[in-house]
Amino acid sequence: MVKLHPLLDPRGIQKRTVIKLAHRPTIEELGKGKILFYNNTKLGFCNYYTVFDRIKEHFTELGITNWVEYTETVRGKDAAMLEDYAAMLSKKKPAAAIVAFGDMGTSSSTTVIAIELEKLGIPTVYMTAPPGTGITEGVGLYRAGNLCMCSVDVMQASTAEEIAEQVDRKWDYILGSLTENGEKLEKLAKIPAKMDLIPPAEDGLLPIINKIEVEEDQLLEPGCYMEEINEFFNREHISDGLPIIPPTKARYEKMLEYCPFDESFKLCDPSGPSGKIVTVKDVAIAAVMAGCVPQAMPILIAAFKALNNKNYNLNQSVTTSHPGGNMLIVSGPIAQEIGISGKQGCQGPGWPMNATIGRAVNLVVMNIFRSVPGICDLDCIASQAEFTYCFAEEPELACWNMLNEDRYDARTTTVYVLKAEPIHDIIDFLSLDGYDLLDTITACCTTLGSNNAYMPGPMIVCLTPDHGQMLKKAGFTKEMIQEHIHTYAYHEVPMVRNRGLVPVRPASFANRHPMPVTRSPKDVEVVVIGGRGGHSGVILPWALHSEGCVEPVALPDGKAALSISEFKTHEREKREY
C-alpha cells in the first residue's frame, strides 16, 4: 500500500508543565491572614481600579480587612525577573493573592506572576478582561496546566458602576477559587484548550498522513494532496493562512545544506504563550513551510539571534496588541549574493527571497511560541507586516554608509531587526531641493496615533534613489538628516497628555516641551531603497522597551562570513525521527 511521506510538526515538542495548586484556606483562616493585591499598573487607568475596590468591599463584608498591596509594571521583565518579583511578593506570606489586570499587552507576563505565586504556595486569582483573557488562558494552559482566572467583561469606557457589577457577578468564583480544594478547585482552575487539543507527539511527526487515503492515480498530480495538507495546517492553527510547502524529512534535510549549526542549537530564550525556546530545527521547518531556499538559513539564524537580544523584548513583542511585524533589513554582500532585494518594489510582492525569509520568521513566532491571532495573541487588527517583512539595502543605491558599515564594515553582512508598523508612504514629487523635501519627510515621522508619540524609539526612513540624491545634492549627510528629524519630529505636550498610551520615556524627558519622538539622532536609521520616483516611506516602531537590534551573519565559531559558500555543509548523517 502506498503512503505519503511523514511531515514534521512545526510546533516542535511541547513539554507542558502541570503545576500543583496551592492548598486553599477556609474563610476563617483567610480572615486571620493577609490578602496580597498585586496591581501591574493597569488598574491605574480608566475606572479599572474599581476591580480591587469592589473585591475589598466584599472581603470587608466577610470581616476580612487585612491586606497588602504592591503596584509595579511587568514591562521590561524577562522570565527570570518575573520569578524573582513573585518571590519578593511571597515574602509577605499572604494567605491568598489577587493579581490584576490582564486586559492587554502586560497580560502574558502577569500570568507568569500568578503562576509563580501558586508554585510558591499562595492561592491566587488572576483578574482578566478581553482581549487579554484569551492570551492569559493560553499562557496558563501551556505553562501551568491549570490556574484560577476570572474574566470580567469591561473596557476602557466602562463606568465604575459597570465594573463593580461585573465583579459582583464573579464574586462566587473569586471566593471559591481562594477557599475550595479538591474537585471543586480543579473545576474552577480548569483552562479550556482552544487549540493544540492533541499536543505534538514525542516523535516530532504530524498525524495528518495517516488520515489521507492515498490513490495511486492522484500521486501523478503535481502538488498532490496539497489541498488536504493545507486544510489540516489551517485547521490546527499551524499556518499563517497562505499555502505552505509540506515539511517532509527530505525537504528538512535539504534546508540544512547551508546550515553548519547543530539542529538543537538554541536561538531564542523561552517566550510567548508556550514559553518554548527556538532551535535551529524549528527555524528550518518553518523555512521549508515558507518556501525558502537553503541559502536563507544563515540569514534566518542571524535574525533569530538578533530577536533574542534582551533589548528587543521578544517575550512581549510576540503577543502585543500592536499590529507591527518583525522587520528584517539585510545589509552587506551576502544579501545580493543570494537575491534579497532592496530594489524597486522590495517591500511588496515579486521578490521570493524577501517574501519567504520574512514569512519564515513569523511562522516560527506562531508555531513555536503559539502566538496565534484571534486565539492566543492580542493583535486588535494586525497587519500585512505579520505575514512577512524583509528587504535589503542595495550598495548601488546607497548615498551614505549602509547599516552594516555603520556597525561593522562593508564586507560583513548584517541583519537588523525591529518590531515595527508597515511602511507609511511619504509622497513628494514637487519639492525642488533637499531642504523642502526633508521637511516633508520629517512631518511624516509621527502621528498622535503612533507608538512613538508616547514611547520615543527607533524608526527607519526609507528614501527612494531620487529623494536620496536630492538630499545628498543639497549637502545633507546621514548625520545631518538624523539630527534634523530628531529636532523637528515632535508633539506639543498638551496633545500627548492623557491620550494614546501610557508614556514610556527617558527620565530626562520629564519636563521637555515640545516632546520629541526619538531619544537621540541615532534613533533615526536612513536607508536608500526602491525604484525611481517620489514615494519614500517611514517605518515607525513598537518601541515598548524594544530596540532595533543588529546581528552579523556569522559561522558557528562567530567569524563573520564573507560569502554564502562558507556555510555549505557536507552531507549529514540520516536522522531518526
Side-chain angles (χ1 to χ4, degrees), residues 385-397:
E386 294 182 74
F387 277 108
T388 180
Y389 209 169
C390 173
F391 60 98
E393 284 192 273
E394 294 284 348
E396 65 185 61
L397 301 180

Side-chain angles (χ1 to χ4, degrees), residues 397-400 423-442 444 461-478 481 526-538:
L397 301 180
C399 296
W400 306 279
I423 192 167
H424 176 70
D425 184 44
I426 302 175
I427 184 171
D428 194 331
F429 281 95
L430 299 182
S431 289
L432 297 178
D433 60 63
Y435 300 95
D436 289 344
L437 173 62
L438 189 52
D439 287 338
T440 301
I441 293 167
T442 303
C444 293
V461 175
C462 301
L463 302 173
T464 61
D466 286 9
H467 283 173
Q469 288 298 329
M470 283 177 66
L471 290 167
K472 188 172 184 178
K473 185 178 179 181
F476 285 101
T477 63
K478 181 189 283 192
I481 296 169
V526 181
V527 299
V528 180
I529 60 173
R532 302 289 302 275
H535 288 276
S536 287
V538 62

Side-chain angles (χ1 to χ4, degrees), residues 66-136:
N66 186 15
W67 44 69
V68 61
E69 185 168 339
Y70 281 84
T71 300
E72 184 174 336
T73 186
V74 293
R75 287 173 171 167
K77 291 182 172 65
D78 60 21
M81 295 168 70
L82 293 169
E83 291 177 14
D84 290 342
Y85 190 76
M88 183 277 293
L89 293 175
S90 72
K91 290 180 180 179
K92 290 293 180 180
K93 300 187 181 303
I98 309 290
V99 171
F101 196 40
D103 68 324
M104 274 289 184
T106 56
S107 301
S108 180
S109 294
T110 308
T111 311
V112 176
I113 294 281
I115 292 170
E116 291 302 317
L117 289 173
E118 280 285 355
K119 289 163 65 175
L120 291 166
I122 301 169
T124 301
V125 175
Y126 181 20
M127 303 300 297
T128 72
T133 296
I135 187 68
T136 59

Side-chain angles (χ1 to χ4, degrees), residues 120-434:
L120 291 166
I122 301 169
T124 301
V125 175
Y126 181 20
M127 303 300 297
T128 72
T133 296
I135 187 68
T136 59
E137 289 177 348
V139 175
L141 177 67
Y142 290 115
R143 301 196 188 197
N146 53 164
L147 194 67
C148 292
M149 293 181 285
C150 180
S151 179
V152 288
D153 190 7
V154 303
M155 57 182 289
Q156 66 189 65
S158 294
T159 65
E161 292 76 18
E162 290 169 336
I163 294 175
E165 181 184 2
Q166 282 289 314
V167 174
D168 290 346
R169 291 181 181 180
K170 299 298 179 71
W171 174 243
D172 288 345
Y173 177 90
I174 296 169
L175 185 61
S177 294
L178 297 179
T179 58
E180 297 286 358
N181 287 291
E183 291 184 3
K184 289 184 177 180
L185 178 60
E186 289 178 11
K187 185 176 180 180
L188 292 169
K190 183 177 178 60
I191 302 172
K194 296 180 180 178
M195 60 182 181
D196 294 347
L197 301 180
I198 301 176
E202 288 292 331
D203 63 6
L205 302 177
L206 286 168
I208 173 64
I209 298 305
N210 297 328
K211 298 180 181 180
I212 294 178
E213 294 184 7
V214 178
E215 298 179 12
E216 293 194 42
D217 286 346
Q218 192 170 341
L219 293 176
L220 300 177
E221 179 76 19
C224 70
Y225 295 104
M226 288 291 284
E227 292 86 352
E228 290 85 350
I229 291 171
N230 273 282
E231 181 184 354
F232 174 83
F233 273 70
N234 288 328
R235 185 172 65 249
E236 299 300 317
H237 305 288
I238 49 179
S239 172
D240 55 12
L242 295 174
I244 57 95
I245 303 296
T248 60
K249 296 177 183 179
R251 290 187 177 115
Y252 171 75
E253 294 290 342
K254 179 77 173 176
M255 190 57 63
L256 297 177
E257 284 185 358
Y258 286 82
C259 182
F261 296 84
D262 188 273
E263 63 181 0
S264 64
F265 182 75
K266 185 182 79 170
L267 296 172
C268 290
D269 295 324
S271 293
S274 70
K276 286 189 59 178
I277 66 169
V278 173
T279 66
V280 169
K281 181 177 181 179
D282 298 327
V283 173
I285 293 174
V288 171
M289 291 173 60
C292 292
V293 297
Q295 290 86 342
M297 279 299 292
I299 303 298
L300 286 166
I301 287 172
F304 278 97
K305 286 182 178 180
L307 291 171
N308 198 47
N309 188 313
K310 290 190 181 298
N311 291 328
Y312 192 82
N313 191 9
L314 179 63
N315 184 54
Q316 193 171 349
S317 77
V318 300
T319 55
T320 177
S321 55
H322 186 268
N326 300 291
M327 184 206 67
L328 278 60
I329 304 177
V330 187
S331 306
I334 292 178
Q336 282 68 50
E337 186 181 0
I338 66 175
I340 306 174
S341 178
K343 296 178 180 178
Q344 187 167 6
C346 61
Q347 290 193 32
W351 297 103
M353 291 296 290
N354 300 30
T356 56
I357 290 173
R359 187 187 184 196
V361 169
N362 291 310
L363 281 172
V364 170
V365 168
M366 280 187 59
N367 292 334
I368 298 302
F369 298 143
R370 299 311 278 143
S371 300
V372 176
I375 300 177
C376 217
D377 185 10
L378 288 166
D379 254 336
C380 294
I381 298 176
S383 74
Q384 302 88 336
E386 294 182 74
F387 277 108
T388 180
Y389 209 169
C390 173
F391 60 98
E393 284 192 273
E394 294 284 348
E396 65 185 61
L397 301 180
C399 296
W400 306 279
N401 276 356
M402 299 200 307
L403 293 174
N404 62 318
E405 295 171 306
D406 281 341
R407 267 65 168 200
Y408 293 89
D409 54 61
R411 301 178 69 197
T412 300
T413 300
T414 61
V415 179
Y416 174 100
V417 296
L418 181 69
K419 181 74 173 181
E421 297 178 13
I423 192 167
H424 176 70
D425 184 44
I426 302 175
I427 184 171
D428 194 331
F429 281 95
L430 299 182
S431 289
L432 297 178
D433 60 63

